[in-house]
Amino acid sequence: METKHFLINEHRERNIDQAANLLRQGELVAFPTETVYGLGADATNFQAVQKIFKAKGRPSDNPLIVHVARKEQLYEFVKDVPVYVKQLIDAFSPGPITYVLQSKENVASNVTAGLSTVAVRIPDNDIALSLLTACDLPIAAPSANTSGHPSPTSAEHVLQDLNGKIAGVLDGGPTQVGVESTVVDCTGEKPIILRLGKITAEDIKKVLQINPVSVYEEEVEKPKSPGLKYKHYAPEIPLYLVTTTKNIQTIIEQKRKKGYRVGALVSDQTVEQISADKIISIGENEEEMATNLYHALRSFKKNEIDLIICESFPTKSVGKAVMDRLSRAASKTL
Ligand code: TXA
Ligand code: MG
């Protein structure tokens, strides 16, 4: 299959209409959101959703997020909605947050991987919203990468993984947030964060005035978000995450002495002090680091580098999500 590359700067309306038509015909189209690129299919069409699992090589027990354009549409797919959910929706949607609620079971059964709950979200991106409005369908969309690879933050990343396997990609340039949405389990009396993202426990606490907002501890509990049990966000090559105060340059030297070609993933502040075979600096604050993280992980190539040494970054806000993704990508901590 030839993957159509729709450049959004040219013929915006026509390109969005063509992409929407493909979705209505049961084809897969990747599109930008404010977080990462999503791989969309008609959430009411079982066969179309099945194509997502096939193109990504995604385990069938890992459910998908349903994307809609408007707040009223969120309520069409969920039931038993606690009062606090409306407050969260009013405060944060459209935005980088996903709500897990009891499903009305009016989407295809493979979207929810047979669970009684469904994840829903309104992306805060003009192209995504225009596409959702044009096709007038709920769209199931995981991140548009091959399962296990870092999520795509540009159309180029989507094509690296899925060229020839999907009908098209709407190219809206690089995404802003850079890490996936915060996933919140809203099936109980209080919300529980299942996946960290730009919207933090603090942000939620402020809106709901409850204390504390819990973050799901997978180590002690059984994974509640099925996706969390799979190794994620891994670059092509082993990544060692430095979580202690050990000097990163000393570690790099040790590895190089053993003959390894070493890549370094560091902040703008550290970059001056580093010498390695390839150095990528991902920014000077948490927001920049989130935006650049996945592009950086994809930039280290097997033919240039044998392993990546990555420092730990600040974690006041979205930095927590950055460190969460890095610790999942890491084969080792030092
Ligand atoms: O920012 C995002 O959320 C992006 C963009 C494209 O919207 N999407 C995304 O989708 O990251 P995906 O499929 O890569 O991650 C969805 C996560 C998975 O960890 C999945 O297990 C979880 O949400 N999830 C989906 N439905 C769920 C449910 N009913 N209960 C618990 N977790 C659920
Ligand atoms: Mg994903």
Side-chain angles (χ1 to χ4, degrees), residues 13-227:
E13 300 296 298
R14 193 183 73 194
N15 279 336
I16 285 175
D17 281 346
Q18 284 185 3
N21 277 333
L22 288 171
L23 287 170
R24 273 196 295 264
Q25 289 158 17
E27 298 297 335
L28 303 185
V29 177
F31 59 95
T33 77
E34 79 281 39
T35 57
V36 300
Y37 274 69
L39 180 60
D42 174 358
T44 64
N45 178 338
F46 185 94
Q47 299 302 335
V49 172
Q50 216 47 15
K51 293 180 186 172
I52 291 181
F53 290 94
K54 183 153 183 265
K56 283 183 57 95
R58 180 176 176 108
S60 59
D61 65 350
N62 192 2
L64 308 175
I65 298 172
V66 175
H67 296 64
V68 296
R70 288 174 290 105
K71 291 182 189 179
E72 313 83 78
Q73 283 177 297
L74 281 181
Y75 297 98
E76 285 175 28
F77 301 95
V78 297
K79 61 181 186 188
D80 308 336
V81 182
V83 180
Y84 67 80
V85 175
K86 191 173 180 304
Q87 286 172 272
L88 293 180
I89 291 173
D90 287 343
F92 299 122
S93 293
I97 184 167
T98 296
Y99 312 98
V100 172
L101 285 154
Q102 290 302 326
S103 172
K104 278 190 188 154
E105 297 186 4
N106 47 1
V107 290
S109 59
N110 47 356
V111 171
T112 56
L115 296 174
S116 62
T117 55
V118 64
V120 289
R121 102 170 185 95
I122 308 176
D124 185 16
N125 174 288
D126 277 354
I127 299 165
L129 293 173
S130 301
L131 179 68
L132 291 167
T133 304
C135 68
D136 196 23
L137 287 167
I139 295 296
S143 49
N145 52 289
T146 299
S147 264
H149 288 194
S151 292
T153 54
S154 70
E156 286 71 35
H157 296 164
V158 174
L159 291 169
Q160 280 170 11
D161 281 10
L162 300 174
N163 195 16
K165 297 183 175 177
I166 62 175
V169 56
L170 268 172
D171 188 343
T175 60
Q176 270 190 327
V177 176
V179 292
E180 305 84 348
S181 62
T182 306
V183 177
V184 190
D185 177 355
C186 299
T187 57
E189 252 173 61
K190 284 183 181 174
I192 300 169
I193 296 182
L194 301 179
R195 180 174 72 182
L196 300 173
K198 183 171 162 65
I199 292 175
T200 62
E202 283 298 309
D203 296 332
I204 293 175
K205 204 160 83 180
K206 261 186 222 151
V207 169
L208 302 182
Q209 303 190 338
I210 49 173
N211 205 8
V213 172
S214 45
V215 177
Y216 204 71
E217 297 279 350
E218 313 148 49
E219 303 296 324
V220 286
E221 302 169 73
K222 161 167 161 275
K224 204 164 189 180
S225 197

